[in-house]
Amino acid sequence: MQTIRNDLRSFSIHDWIILAMVTSIFLPHTLFLVALTVLDVYILWKDKMIPTLMENQTGKKYIYLFLLLSGIVSLINVNGYGLTITLGFLGLFTFIGYYQGHIHEKLFMYIIEWTTLCSLINGMYALVQFAQISHAGGYSFFDFHIFNSPKRRIMTTFQNANIYALMLDMVLACILYRFLQTKKVSLKIWYVILALFQFGLVLLTGCRSALVPLVIVIPILLICFRKKILLGVYCLCLVGLLALIIHMPTLIPRFDDTSTITSRFTIWSYAWEGIKQRPLFGRGPWTFHLLHPIYKNHIGSHAHNIYIDMVLSHGIVGTGILAGYVGVQIQNIKKLYTSHRTLFGLILALTSIVAVMGLVDGTIEPLKTMMFFMMIVTSYSMKK
């Protein structure tokens, strides 16, 4: 405890600002937006951070060009939602530039630990919410009935059950990262308990696409930490678990419900029609939402596939510019493989979660989960 007290006393105002942003991720969406706005205004005005942002932020010419184009396209197409989201992402990437200039190894460890603690507290609220949803639907808590609609499943302070499941997956990756890092048995036991609790919450979200990335994340981290024995044990357990699921498919909530899977193909067909209408620039963020009056399609804000949605919303030009930003990040992350392999593993694990879940869901436009993802991804800045 004394070490923790000393660490906290040594933190600068920059460290506390970053921890405040991490905390806000677990607050209701409106409060997160207020925190993001207040902190951005502070760092841009009080600390005169624009020169620092320009110096430290990687890929800035791509991301700010992308956001400028997104804003212009949204205005031309009278896409109010798109313009609002663009402004939100401008605030997000402004903060990420600040983060890249001040992140250091001690702070990064506390970000991981504080995130797991916030997620634990958030998870307590999820259990209360599950009890309320179950009661309203005529079930008891211990029936563990999972409704089909994402709005009738636990979401806590996130926008829906699928986004909450995405956050839980990323937290699980962080817990495994810390479990493999620490040598203290007591801490390892604590991380196991935390992981089981978080995994239980993933099941209660009823988000099946959140289970698939976990199969990939575990071996990624085990390989990067060079845990060959644990990797072998994991492979054996995975084979046994798959056999058990095949024998008892009801272990996975909504396992036999194919209605949402079928609807994805319908959604993608409408998205393709939208792409053909505006292939170069799209209509800005949430273009799919604008297609309903045209095609009377599925009502929703995104195309349930980040790759399709990117081309639909931003066109070939916007997607190409964003690909430039992604390329810069990949080049920086690749450098960690030989020098800081474990951090490379964590970044790869979170990227896999976003990429795999993104095949059937929207994983890059929710601001809160994107903020946490970008914080972890750009943490290579502390190794420069």
Side-chain angles (χ1 to χ4, degrees):
M1 283 299 290
Q2 189 61 41
T3 303
I4 295 174
R5 288 195 193 97
N6 291 337
D7 286 343
L8 296 180
R9 285 170 185 162
S10 70
F11 277 0
S12 68
I13 183 65
H14 306 297
D15 298 334
W16 287 111
I17 286 173
I18 290 170
L19 285 173
M21 180 54 69
V22 173
T23 306
S24 73
I25 291 171
F26 293 91
L27 298 177
H29 192 68
T30 302
L31 292 180
F32 167 79
L33 291 176
V34 170
L36 177 61
T37 303
V38 170
L39 292 176
D40 272 349
V41 169
Y42 177 84
I43 63 179
L44 289 170
W45 174 67
K46 185 73 174 178
D47 280 3
K48 298 179 176 60
M49 288 301 301
I50 291 179
T52 305
L53 293 178
M54 293 300 101
E55 180 183 347
N56 294 290
Q57 191 163 23
T58 52
K60 50 186 172 287
K61 65 180 180 181
Y62 290 107
I63 195 61
Y64 292 119
L65 178 60
F66 170 78
L67 292 173
L68 176 62
L69 179 63
S70 178
I72 293 171
V73 170
S74 296
L75 279 171
I76 291 173
N77 289 278
V78 198
N79 182 356
Y81 286 115
L83 183 60
T84 303
I85 291 169
T86 300
L87 291 173
F89 271 93
L90 177 62
L92 186 152
F93 281 101
T94 298
F95 191 86
I96 289 300
Y98 172 79
Y99 174 87
Q100 286 191 262
H102 293 97
I103 187 63
H104 53 85
E105 293 194 42
K106 185 190 294 184
L107 176 60
F108 183 74
M109 185 194 73
Y110 277 95
I111 288 172
I112 299 295
E113 294 292 351
W114 184 238
T115 297
T116 59
L117 182 58
C118 288
S119 187
L120 174 63
I121 297 168
N122 199 262
M124 299 296 182
Y125 172 47
L127 295 180
V128 174
Q129 196 175 57
F130 183 75
Q132 292 172 337
I133 292 170
S134 298
H135 178 72
Y139 296 90
S140 75
F141 181 95
F142 296 102
D143 287 332
F144 295 115
H145 180 80
I146 310 297
F147 291 95
N148 188 43
S149 171
K151 293 183 179 179
R152 297 184 71 192
R153 292 185 255 137
I154 59 170
M155 65 183 80
T156 65
T157 58
F158 294 83
Q159 289 147 297
N160 61 44
N162 296 336
I163 296 171
Y164 181 43
L166 169 63
M167 189 67 204
L168 288 171
D169 269 13
M170 292 194 290
V171 172
L172 273 167
C174 291
I175 291 171
L176 179 56
Y177 174 79
R178 288 294 292 139
F179 172 86
L180 294 171
Q181 258 189 342
T182 187
K183 294 180 180 179
K184 292 183 179 179
V185 176
S186 58
L187 280 178
K188 284 186 178 292
I189 293 171
W190 167 244
Y191 291 132
V192 169
I193 294 170
L194 268 179
L196 291 173
F197 179 66
Q198 298 286 312
F199 182 72
L201 293 174
V202 172
L203 292 177
L204 291 182
T205 64
C207 181
R208 294 161 295 183
S209 62
L211 297 174
V212 179
L214 296 178
V215 176
I216 304 168
V217 163
I218 295 172
I220 286 174
L221 285 167
L222 290 176
I223 290 169
C224 288
F225 274 88
R226 295 185 171 91
K227 302 291 184 180
K228 295 180 181 179
I229 296 175
L230 282 177
L231 181 61
V233 172
Y234 166 76
C235 291
L236 290 174
C237 290
L238 181 62
V239 171
L241 181 62
L242 291 174
L244 184 61
I245 291 171
I246 291 170
H247 182 66
M248 298 177 61
T250 53
L251 288 172
I252 304 297
R254 302 172 61 239
F255 184 85
D256 56 351
D257 179 13
T258 59
S259 61
T260 54
I261 297 173
T262 305
S263 70
R264 292 294 192 269
F265 291 99
T266 303
I267 291 168
W268 296 336
S269 67
Y270 284 122
W272 175 242
E273 293 301 318
I275 290 171
K276 287 192 293 185
Q277 274 201 346
R278 303 285 175 84
L280 290 179
F281 298 101
R283 291 181 171 89
W286 275 28
T287 287
F288 190 82
H289 179 78
L290 302 177
L291 297 183
H292 180 68
I294 302 172
Y295 299 112
K296 306 299 180 185
N297 60 309
H298 170 88
I299 298 175
S301 58
H302 57 84
H304 288 276
N305 180 298
I306 58 173
Y307 311 101
I308 294 174
D309 206 44
M310 183 56 60
V311 181
L312 172 66
S313 297
H314 302 286
I316 297 169
V317 176
T319 302
I321 295 171
L322 189 63
Y325 177 78
V326 172
V328 171
Q329 303 311 315
I330 290 172
Q331 290 303 313
N332 282 283
I333 293 166
K334 279 170 61 178
K335 297 173 186 176
L336 294 173
Y337 182 73
T338 53
S339 58
H340 300 91
R341 190 181 171 106
T342 57
L343 178 59
F344 174 85
L346 180 62
I347 293 172
L348 183 59
L350 263 66
T351 304
S352 300
I353 291 169
V354 171
V356 173
M357 281 191 70
L359 291 169
V360 292
D361 231 314
T363 57
I364 60 173
E365 283 191 349
L367 281 175
K368 294 203 293 182
T369 46
M370 188 62 171
M371 175 65 81
F372 183 72
F373 173 68
M374 287 305 302
M375 279 183 168
I376 300 299
V377 166
T378 58
S379 291
Y380 58 74
S381 297
M382 68 184 175
K383 298 297 185 181
K384 289 184 177 180

